[in-house]
Amino acid sequence: MHPTRRFAPAAAMAALLVLAPSAAATAGGKGGGPVPADSLRALAARQHLRVGTAVDAAQLGANQAYTGLVADQFSVVTPENSMKWEAVEPTRGGYDWAPADQLVQFAEQHGQEVRGHTLMWHNQLPAWLTAGAADGTISDAQLRDILHQHITDEVSHFRGRIWQWDVVNEVFANSWDTALPNGLNSGDFWIQHLGQGVIADAFRWAHQADPKALLFYNDYNITGEDGTNTKFTAVYDYVKQLRAQGVPIDGIGEQGHLDTQYGFDAQRFQNDLQAFGDLGLKVAVTEADVRTNVDNATAQVPTSQLAAFAQPYEFSEELKGCQLVPQCISFTAWGVYDGDSWIPGTFTGEGYGLLYDVNLKPKPAYFALQQDLAVGAGSAHRGDRD
Ligand code: XIL
């Protein structure tokens, strides 16, 4: 049984925005001042929810407008790339923690939490590791020890400073992959080399290194984005088993990458998040963006007016799905602005997917989220988010 989606009508939203009493000022804004009362983070705080962004280490500090927005608008940050394996251990045994350390320090100075991302993933592995595994100079037994060491070293390095860790990323099959009977991706690098038992072990190793961090499984298309619930069901059944076996998994991250050309079933999104919550797990939206076709890649102008309307709708529905599920503890956009998004480089002809435009000006999607948070702050719907 799942609650039906219920939200205040637009008129009430507008009234709330105008009448909202000044939010308890949250310290941590740019320059160390209070954050704006109508910022996403201040409004979300009133609902015991954190709203976040992925942060590009190269822009933090270097781009003042960008840095100010990160500080003022968001209460949880994810390193977009700087905690990935290729970034932290580019040569075997040669660690470079500096960019990730800077972000964690920035977060602590600005009253923000950190989502650590990510420990076991098939992408953005260092070349020394993939080459060694491919040519046999790293045996599977050694690879297992290397993974164990990597998880232990990275989680220990940041012990006590990470709120949620994406321990395992994207190991389930999509419709275009080859699936094992339980829906895991048989072609996944880690499953191929080490077998599926390594998933549970990754969570155990992370838990040993930082018993207080919340440990997440993170993936995309696990809330019906492809029009089916196949991947959701596989993940649901699998994590239910992990829980029954006492594996220390605390949450599910739904990445939330949407594309206006595919449509979006908001009710299913909410229901699936709720189903994970009902397993006793926390949930989070971890990488939200809504891409669309653009007719000017540099200026990031959407091709049709329709797309420009669809985006705030879909962003808003994703956020509301989280707001309506008590176990949803954070909502994170995958980047601050369209000038710094992975979308144009990954999806040909698409872009315009974030909350701020190429000039760092807030877009309709930003104002949609602001309204949703203002309304939610006045609702009685509160979960175990602190
Ligand atoms: C992306 C980054 O945004 C890019 O900068 C990088 O080149 C590739 O990875 N799912 C994830 C993220 O879990 O780590 C990915 O981030 C986007 C898809």
Side-chain angles (χ1 to χ4, degrees):
M1 283 294 252
H2 300 296
T4 350
R5 294 172 70 78
R6 197 158 32 84
F7 236 75
M13 289 187 184
L16 263 160
L17 260 188
V18 176
L19 299 176
S22 60
T26 316
K30 62 171 179 272
V35 304
D38 64 351
S39 60
L40 301 182
R41 67 179 284 185
L43 294 168
R46 298 169 63 200
Q47 205 185 359
H48 302 262
L49 180 65
R50 283 185 186 260
V51 61
T53 185
V55 173
D56 175 358
Q59 302 235 18
L60 194 71
N63 179 339
Q64 286 311 310
Y66 174 96
T67 308
L69 286 178
V70 173
D72 275 352
Q73 296 292 330
F74 302 100
S75 47
V76 54
V77 289
T78 308
E80 184 175 1
N81 290 302
S82 56
M83 284 188 189
K84 290 174 182 173
W85 201 331
E86 69 174 8
V88 297
E89 197 184 359
T91 57
R92 191 165 178 177
Y95 286 111
D96 178 10
W97 302 112
D101 281 346
Q102 276 164 23
L103 177 58
V104 173
Q105 197 184 14
F106 179 92
E108 288 168 350
Q109 286 165 350
H110 294 85
Q112 298 166 320
E113 296 282 2
V114 179
R115 297 197 80 262
H117 177 83
T118 176
L119 299 169
M120 190 184 112
W121 189 29
H122 61 272
N123 269 341
Q124 292 179 278
L125 293 169
W128 61 263
L129 187 150
T130 49
D135 68 16
T137 53
I138 296 176
S139 70
D140 287 349
Q142 288 169 325
L143 187 64
R144 187 178 155 82
D145 288 344
I146 289 170
L147 177 66
H148 186 175
Q149 192 68 50
H150 165 71
I151 291 178
T152 303
D153 286 350
E154 179 146 13
V155 177
S156 302
H157 179 83
F158 295 108
R159 180 171 28 236
R161 305 170 79 191
I162 303 293
W163 184 34
Q164 308 171 21
W165 263 115
D166 287 335
V167 177
V168 176
N169 204 32
E170 301 178 356
V171 290
F172 281 85
N174 296 291
S175 55
W176 57 87
D177 297 314
T178 308
L180 296 172
N182 62 6
L184 283 167
N185 182 357
S186 68
D188 178 85
F189 175 85
W190 294 108
I191 293 174
Q192 256 183 356
H193 283 279
L194 306 181
Q196 59 176 279
V198 72
I199 296 168
D201 286 335
F203 283 96
R204 294 187 186 107
W205 296 332
H207 183 67
Q208 272 162 14
D210 187 350
K212 292 201 176 139
L214 294 174
L215 305 184
F216 273 66
Y217 175 68
N218 190 53
D219 208 336
Y220 60 96
N221 191 19
I222 56 172
T223 51
E225 292 95 309
D226 67 354
T228 78
N229 242 355
T230 308
K231 200 170 170 189
F232 160 78
T233 305
V235 175
Y236 179 88
D237 290 344
Y238 198 81
V239 296
K240 191 173 174 185
Q241 277 177 25
L242 292 181
R243 297 277 291 179
Q245 291 161 10
V247 176
I249 175 169
D250 301 294
I252 299 294
E254 152 58 28
Q255 293 180 0
H257 298 292
L258 299 183
D259 186 326
T260 55
Q261 68 182 302
Y262 301 129
F264 180 58
D265 183 340
Q267 184 68 61
R268 173 144 61 188
F269 180 79
Q270 182 193 336
N271 290 352
D272 288 351
L273 290 186
Q274 187 60 64
F276 287 127
D278 291 344
L279 283 180
L281 293 159
K282 298 186 186 308
V283 296
V285 179
T286 55
E287 306 183 13
D289 53 19
V290 184
R291 61 186 182 272
T292 196
N293 293 323
V294 291
D295 55 18
N296 180 327
T298 312
Q300 291 282 313
V301 178
T303 301
S304 74
Q305 278 289 96
L306 186 63
F309 286 116
Q311 288 175 310
Y313 166 78
E314 294 190 351
F315 252 119
S316 166
E317 291 300 312
E318 283 199 295
L319 173 62
K320 282 189 276 197
C322 174
Q323 288 179 289
L324 290 166
V325 170
Q327 295 85 358
C328 190
I329 57 175
S330 61
F331 178 92
T332 294
W334 199 242
V336 176
Y337 76 117
D338 292 333
D340 185 38
S341 164
W342 74 308
I343 295 170
T346 311
F347 305 93
T348 308
E350 295 189 74
Y352 202 65
L354 291 171
L355 302 176
Y356 291 84
D357 71 11
V358 284
N359 299 313
L360 284 156
K361 293 280 176 285
K363 291 159 58 181
Y366 171 87
F367 295 110
L369 298 194
Q370 192 186 39
Q371 279 205 334
D372 292 335
L373 291 168
V375 172
S379 84
H381 193 89
R382 280 157 205 262
D384 49 351
R385 290 170 170 152
D386 290 323

